[in-house]
């Protein structure tokens, strides 16, 4: 940009020289900071403050006489930290991604805990597996349904506040479970309270953070954030199983409560909603404008409107349906019932938790690689491979028990490689279909389908186990559904139905 602004007698004009304030004047020279007449010029930063008026250096926005025009209020200390890191070629977005990873990791560890708690609760209280599965199903449903609304609420009050609030709610719910004595309390605390808090610390959060903070390497970063679910299992499950075995499930629940509370201060101090909050642009964005956003007038109305418009597209149903099957075959079935199924076959709980940890280890690499591949390969074909391989693994699972623990280890490796590797290509397809600015709310609805599938499988598998004494039918049915999904995802983006072309990202954002 060759033009600059000259402020003379409180008027702004364009010229070929740097900023000049005449009559009690201020001349912007080459010095990085100039303070004259109680006015501060930040020559090397995006914002210039002159006599209580803010001028954006690239001429995108001008704030005069304290009227705000869609510009954030940067935090001075974090701006200094971000600037310090930027001079050393380290973008603050990586800190935000790291904090998000940490929150998702802890939330994933808490969500995976029911698999460890089912048998101890069954033994202590005499509750049936179907009753316990009901509480887990409610948790999974709320986890999914709150996601879309959380995405729009984040637009209003910010990511940081929502993360702090939801982690506090999760910690409260898990902590109070140690005092319960009736099954309705399990449904209320683990189902409603923990489920509601988990709905914010979900895959939607990762999608929003990536699309706000990164213009490059989005697939890779999203793959890493998504893999936090696997890492949560890897870190927490063996520890939880060991603690529950030695000291009881209540001690394990208190350990989860402490983990959630420990990360709240770091998120409150260093998490920020947008790059502009620390005076930066997204990683890899070389444009000269600061990204801003229009606040939504009504979060609930805009979220429901997005769902209504999305339902008119065939691709929405293909994405929703495939992710329904994804949830049914992961969180709902394996994440909830694999440990009890292992115990049914004489495999100790700690060793069974180790199987899920192995899955978590391989899924970390698989999902991270999936993010990398989603930047380079056709995402429909990636999803086809993922669902196909998962389906074959699930069909093999009931027979792997006959090969003792080694057969299950083979299953854990192959299944683990694509446990949630479906997320990065699904997010990319959602962005391609509905527009980048609508990724949060639309992916939130797709995740709702994921969790409805998970809830259906969690409760259904519990009922089947209670009525038949086996998980065989649940595993086989889930595998067949995955093979159906492998075929269905190939149709995403192909031969749109009438009216699809009339829907645009602008329409969804209205």
């Amino acid at each position: 940009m060759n033009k600059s602004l000259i402020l003379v007698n409180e008027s702004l004009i364009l010229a070929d020289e740097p900023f000049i304030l005449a009559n009690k004047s201020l001349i912007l020279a080459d010095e990085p900071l100039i303070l004259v007449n109680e006015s501060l010029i930040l020559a090397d930063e995006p914002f210039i403050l002159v006599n209580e008026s803010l001028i954006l250096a690239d001429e995108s926005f001008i704030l005069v006489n304290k009227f705000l025009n869609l510009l954030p209020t940067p935090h001075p200390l974090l701006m200094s930290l971000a600037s310090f890191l930027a001079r050393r070629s380290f973008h603050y977005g990586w800190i935000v991604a790291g904090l998000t990873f940490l929150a998702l990791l802890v939330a994933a560890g808490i969500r995976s805990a029911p698999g460890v708690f089912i048998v101890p609760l069954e033994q202590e209280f005499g509750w049936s597996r179907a009753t316990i599965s009901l509480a887990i199903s409610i948790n999974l449903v709320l986890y999914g349904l709150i996601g879309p609304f959380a995405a729009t609420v984040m637009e209003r009050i910010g990511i940081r506040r929502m993360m702090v609030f939801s982690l506090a709610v999760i910690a409260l719910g898990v902590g109070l479970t140690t005092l319960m004595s009736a099954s309705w309390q399990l449904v209320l605390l683990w189902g409603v309270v923990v489920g509601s808090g988990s709905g914010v610390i979900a895959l939607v959060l990762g999608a929003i953070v990536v699309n706000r903070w990164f213009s490059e390497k989005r697939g890779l970063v999203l793959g890493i954030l998504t893999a936090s679910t696997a890492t949560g299992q890897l870190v927490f499950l063996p520890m939880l199983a060991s603690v529950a075995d030695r000291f009881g499930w209540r001690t394990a629940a208190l350990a989860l409560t402490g983990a959630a509370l420990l990360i709240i201060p770091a998120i409150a101090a260093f998490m920020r909603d947008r790059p502009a909050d620390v005076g930066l642009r997204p990683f890899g964005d070389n444009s000269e404008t600061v990204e801003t956003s229009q606040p939504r007038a009504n979060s609930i109305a805009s979220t429901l409107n997005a769902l209504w418009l999305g339902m008119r597209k065939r691709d929405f149903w293909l994405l929703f349906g495939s992710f329904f099957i994804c949830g049914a075959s992961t969180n709902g079935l394996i994440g909830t019932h694999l440990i009890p199924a292992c115990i049914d076959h004489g495999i100790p709980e700690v060793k069974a938790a180790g199987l899920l940890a192995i899955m978590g280890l391989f899924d970390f690499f698989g999902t991270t690689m999936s993010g990398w591949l989603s930047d380079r390969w056709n995402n429909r074909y990636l999803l086809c491979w993922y669902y196909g391989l998962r389906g074959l693994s699930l069909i093999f699972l009931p027979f792997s028990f006959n090969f003792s623990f080694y057969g299950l280890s083979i299953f854990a490796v192959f299944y683990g490689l694509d446990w949630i590797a479906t997320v990065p290509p699904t997010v990319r397809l959602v962005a391609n279909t509905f527009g980048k600015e609508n990724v949060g709310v639309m992916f939130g609805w797709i995740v709702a389908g994921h969790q409805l599938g998970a809830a259906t499988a969690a409760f259904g598998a519990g009922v089947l186990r209670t009525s038949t004494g086996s998980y065989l039918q649940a595993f086989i049915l889930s595998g067949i559904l995955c093979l159906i999904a492998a075929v269905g995802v190939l149709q995403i983006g192909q031969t749109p139905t009438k009216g699809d072309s009339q829907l645009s990202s602008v329409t969804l954002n209205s």
Side-chain angles (χ1 to χ4, degrees):
M1 188 174 295
N2 296 322
K3 294 293 186 181
S4 298
L5 295 176
I6 301 181
L7 182 59
V8 181
N9 294 330
E10 301 182 350
S11 299
L12 286 172
I13 61 173
L14 288 174
D16 293 325
E17 300 295 331
F19 295 96
I20 301 174
L21 176 62
N23 292 342
K24 299 182 179 177
S25 63
L26 175 64
I27 298 177
L28 180 59
D30 293 330
E31 292 80 359
L33 293 175
I34 302 176
L35 179 63
V36 179
N37 295 335
E38 298 182 351
S39 298
L40 178 64
I41 300 292
L42 303 176
D44 288 340
E45 299 295 337
F47 304 109
I48 299 176
L49 181 63
V50 181
N51 292 336
E52 299 184 55
S53 298
L54 183 64
I55 301 174
L56 191 61
D58 61 9
E59 301 178 50
S60 298
F61 296 98
I62 299 177
L63 176 64
V64 181
N65 298 328
K66 298 183 180 178
F67 288 98
L68 180 65
N69 187 9
L70 298 179
L71 288 175
T73 304
H75 190 284
L77 293 178
L78 290 185
M79 281 189 67
S80 299
L81 175 60
S83 179
F84 173 81
L85 294 174
R87 288 195 294 269
R88 286 153 179 80
S89 301
F90 186 85
H91 195 276
Y92 195 82
W94 294 109
I95 292 180
V96 171
L99 291 170
T100 305
F101 181 91
L102 188 62
L104 290 172
L105 181 146
V106 171
I110 292 174
R111 286 197 303 274
S112 65
V116 174
F117 293 161
I118 286 179
V119 173
L121 291 175
E122 194 177 32
Q123 293 174 346
E124 178 173 340
F125 297 104
W127 301 333
S128 71
R129 204 161 293 187
T131 299
I132 300 171
S133 297
L134 174 63
I136 299 172
S137 297
I138 293 173
N139 176 291
L140 293 171
V141 168
L142 289 175
Y143 171 79
L145 292 180
I146 286 176
F149 298 96
T152 50
V153 172
M154 286 179 192
E155 296 288 342
R156 282 184 166 281
I157 69 174
I159 294 175
R160 180 172 62 95
R161 291 189 182 95
M162 285 292 287
M163 290 176 68
V164 169
F165 174 76
S166 62
L167 285 168
V169 169
I170 291 172
L172 176 66
V174 176
L176 288 177
T177 58
T178 60
L179 304 177
M180 66 184 180
S181 58
S183 60
W184 69 265
Q185 295 169 348
L186 175 67
V187 172
L188 175 63
L189 293 173
W190 199 273
V192 177
V193 178
V194 177
S196 299
S198 299
V200 178
I201 310 296
L203 298 177
V204 175
L205 173 64
I208 292 175
V209 168
V210 168
N211 280 278
R212 284 187 180 183
W213 282 87
F214 292 86
S215 290
E216 294 180 355
K217 302 185 182 299
R218 281 181 181 163
L220 175 62
V221 178
L222 184 60
I224 294 173
L225 293 182
T226 304
S228 62
T229 299
T231 308
Q233 290 180 181
L234 177 66
V235 171
F236 283 95
L237 278 181
M239 179 269 293
L240 287 175
S242 179
V243 171
D245 184 58
R246 293 185 179 184
F247 306 105
W249 66 269
R250 288 181 176 82
T251 303
L254 291 175
L256 290 174
T257 302
L261 292 175
L262 279 175
I263 65 172
I264 290 177
I267 291 173
F270 297 103
M271 189 70 189
R272 284 300 176 267
D273 297 333
R274 296 179 181 275
D277 293 350
V278 290
L280 297 175
R281 299 181 181 90
F283 177 83
D285 183 0
N286 297 319
S287 65
E288 296 185 359
T289 59
V290 175
E291 187 177 275
T292 59
S293 66
Q294 293 281 358
R296 297 181 185 268
N298 188 316
S299 293
I300 296 178
S302 62
T303 302
L304 294 176
N305 184 54
L307 173 64
W308 170 247
L309 294 173
M311 289 170 63
R312 295 162 60 186
K313 296 191 66 132
R314 187 193 66 158
D315 285 351
F316 172 84
W317 291 110
L318 290 171
L319 289 163
F320 186 93
S322 63
F323 233 41
F324 179 96
I325 295 173
C326 180
S329 57
T330 54
N331 303 57
L333 182 60
I334 300 301
T336 303
H337 291 286
L338 181 60
I339 291 178
C342 288
I343 295 174
D344 288 347
H345 287 82
I347 299 174
E349 184 175 30
V350 176
K351 185 176 287 189
L355 274 177
L356 284 175
I358 291 173
M359 290 182 195
L361 176 63
F362 280 91
D363 184 60
F364 178 83
F365 294 107
T367 305
T368 302
M369 179 60 68
S370 176
W372 183 82
L373 289 173
S374 70
D375 287 330
R376 292 162 174 81
W377 284 11
N378 189 307
N379 289 273
R380 294 183 296 114
Y381 295 153
L382 288 176
L383 287 178
C384 178
W385 275 101
Y386 297 155
Y387 284 119
L389 291 173
R390 182 187 299 174
L392 295 175
S393 297
L394 286 169
I395 293 173
F396 167 75
L397 174 59
F399 308 100
S400 67
F401 290 108
N402 298 328
F403 299 100
S404 73
F405 189 75
Y406 297 102
L408 286 172
S409 298
I410 295 173
F411 164 78
V413 170
F414 282 94
Y415 182 88
L417 285 172
D418 73 349
W419 173 296
I420 48 175
T422 54
V423 174
T426 299
V427 171
R428 179 61 64 93
L429 290 171
V430 170
N432 293 343
T433 303
F434 300 105
K436 170 191 167 184
E437 65 275 20
N438 298 301
V439 166
V441 64
M442 294 311 301
F443 184 61
W445 283 118
I446 303 300
V447 171
H450 183 280
Q451 295 310 116
L452 287 174
T456 301
F459 181 66
V463 171
L464 286 173
R465 167 61 177 76
T466 300
S467 59
T468 67
S470 171
Y471 285 108
L472 173 65
Q473 297 89 338
F475 291 140
I476 297 296
L477 178 60
S478 184
I480 293 173
L481 288 175
C482 286
L483 296 179
I484 295 174
V487 177
V489 293
L490 293 175
Q491 305 303 313
I492 298 173
Q494 306 297 305
T495 58
T497 56
K498 183 179 180 181
D500 277 2
S501 60
Q502 299 175 359
L503 294 175
S504 65
S505 59
V506 175
T507 306
L508 283 176
N509 209 26
S510 61

